[in-house]
Amino acid sequence: MAPPVPNFVLIGAAKAGTTSLHRWLAQHPDIFVPRQKELHFFAAPWLRENCKGPGDARTLQDIPADWDAYRSHYAAAHGRRAIGDLSPSYFAWWPSRDAIRDRLGRPKIILALRDPVEKAYSQYMHLVRDGRETLSFADALAAEEDRTRQGYGALWRYVGSVLYAEPTERFLECFGTDHVRVIFFEDLVRDPQGTMRDLLTFLEVDPTAPIDTGSVANRSGAPKSRAMAALLNNPTLRRIARTVLPGSLVAQVGARATALNTGAKPDLDPPSRALIEERVAADTARLARLIGRELPWGHRRPQAPS
């Protein structure tokens, strides 16, 4: 019997709680998500063209080579009511929506969004944590346009990645408002259980199933040891590790070691905050009109790691 295909897709956005959502959704008895969190299958063409930043090419290692390889990740999904693909790259590269529609039909689409300023800074600190970003945040913002021209990946596009309106509109056009659910990182922090119940209802599974939402994954912050960060992200060592261990195990061990090496996140400097707020103001207003609801961010920040 051929493996089933996903009937829901968490398209992102990156640094908006997607890693925690993968962990939480996997606990539900009627939901199947692959052990490998991000397959990136439908965004592969854009990822291959935009992998010129330090460490970007690592994303390409685990993309399924073809449709059969993609479906093999769902071999154990028979009998599950909700089957998911959780790949934040789909929102970053929104033309992937057409490949999703062509292969999966009309799956339910989940979009997690976050205060643009906090998301941009969290992306920056994620790359600092991994020893990939060496510029100050202000200098990195100034370098973004040039890096984009050079083909750096979406995670380096601190402002570009928080212009939410167009990708949201494109997915709404493609799949319809009844098949797209927008959730917010701020609500996951404020009321994780209530937000998960709403999400499980959208996925048409038992919303009362117990989900442990007590931990937040993939936290950003300054590395405690830059030498350790460099070691954990050394492509040669990771390649050697993959020759003797399953890729999923290498990823789990790496994530655990990275978490242990992650320290506090420094405060964001006010000029950078003001710059991002100015650049996203019109887009944020457009997004609110698109989804027909007030956005939960402003000057306040959620008190949770990310």
Side-chain angles (χ1 to χ4, degrees), residues 31-90:
I31 295 177
F32 179 88
V33 292
R35 183 181 297 273
Q36 179 182 320
K37 178 207 162 192
E38 299 173 3
L39 298 179
H40 299 302
F41 180 70
F42 299 109
W46 296 275
L47 291 171
R48 293 190 182 104
E49 289 296 318
N50 295 273
C51 61
K52 307 301 191 302
D56 284 350
R58 195 174 82 194
T59 302
L60 306 179
Q61 294 176 341
D62 295 324
I63 298 177
D66 54 32
W67 179 237
D68 288 339
Y70 175 78
R71 292 192 68 176
S72 71
H73 286 271
Y74 298 94
H78 289 289
R80 302 294 181 94
R81 187 174 180 87
I83 301 169
D85 177 347
L86 288 71
S87 298
S89 55
Y90 299 158

Side-chain angles (χ1 to χ4, degrees), residues 51 115 153 245 286 305:
C51 61
D115 179 333
L245 296 171
R286 179 184 169 195

Side-chain angles (χ1 to χ4, degrees), residues 157-170:
R157 304 178 187 194
Y158 305 121
V159 175
S161 70
V162 296
L163 299 176
Y164 299 140
E166 182 174 15
T168 301
E169 183 172 25
R170 299 298 186 179

Side-chain angles (χ1 to χ4, degrees), residues 73-280:
H73 286 271
Y74 298 94
H78 289 289
R80 302 294 181 94
R81 187 174 180 87
I83 301 169
D85 177 347
L86 288 71
S87 298
S89 55
Y90 299 158
F91 187 66
W93 308 109
W94 64 259
S96 62
R97 68 172 195 169
D98 297 325
I100 293 171
R101 180 190 57 208
D102 293 345
R103 288 289 194 178
L104 304 183
R106 197 163 173 248
K108 293 179 183 291
I109 301 295
I110 302 167
L111 172 56
L113 297 178
R114 181 180 184 179
D115 179 333
V117 176
E118 298 300 328
K119 177 183 174 335
Y121 189 49
S122 184
Q123 284 178 211
Y124 167 78
M125 289 306 306
H126 178 106
L127 293 171
V128 170
R129 179 199 73 184
D130 289 352
R132 296 164 62 187
E133 176 64 89
T134 58
L135 300 180
S136 69
F137 190 46
D139 288 344
L141 290 175
E144 180 173 339
E145 185 176 348
D146 186 54
R147 287 170 162 179
T148 299
R149 283 196 299 267
Q150 293 178 48
Y152 277 43
L155 207 60
W156 301 86
R157 304 178 187 194
Y158 305 121
V159 175
S161 70
V162 296
L163 299 176
Y164 299 140
E166 182 174 15
T168 301
E169 183 172 25
R170 299 298 186 179
F171 275 93
L172 286 169
E173 288 173 348
C174 188
F175 296 99
T177 56
D178 60 326
H179 268 58
V180 177
R181 176 60 55 91
V182 177
I183 63 175
F184 295 104
F185 174 86
E186 288 75 11
D187 291 334
L188 288 172
V189 171
R190 177 185 56 82
D191 181 15
Q193 289 290 329
T195 305
M196 285 301 297
R197 282 194 298 272
D198 289 344
L199 184 55
L200 296 176
T201 299
F202 173 67
L203 294 176
E204 300 182 75
V205 297
D206 180 7
T208 66
I211 304 293
D212 178 7
T213 59
S215 61
V216 177
N218 202 22
R219 183 171 59 93
S220 298
K224 297 175 183 176
S225 166
R226 290 187 178 274
M228 178 60 72
L231 183 66
L232 291 170
N233 290 278
N234 183 290
T236 301
L237 290 179
R238 294 181 71 92
R239 189 161 51 248
I240 292 172
R242 287 170 179 271
T243 65
V244 295
L245 296 171
S248 59
L249 181 58
V250 173
Q252 290 174 31
V253 172
R256 177 59 177 161
T258 297
L260 291 172
N261 191 47
T262 301
K265 182 191 296 184
D267 289 338
L268 172 59
D269 63 284
S272 293
R273 173 178 292 276
L275 175 64
I276 298 172
E277 288 176 345
E278 179 182 359
R279 290 185 180 178
V280 304

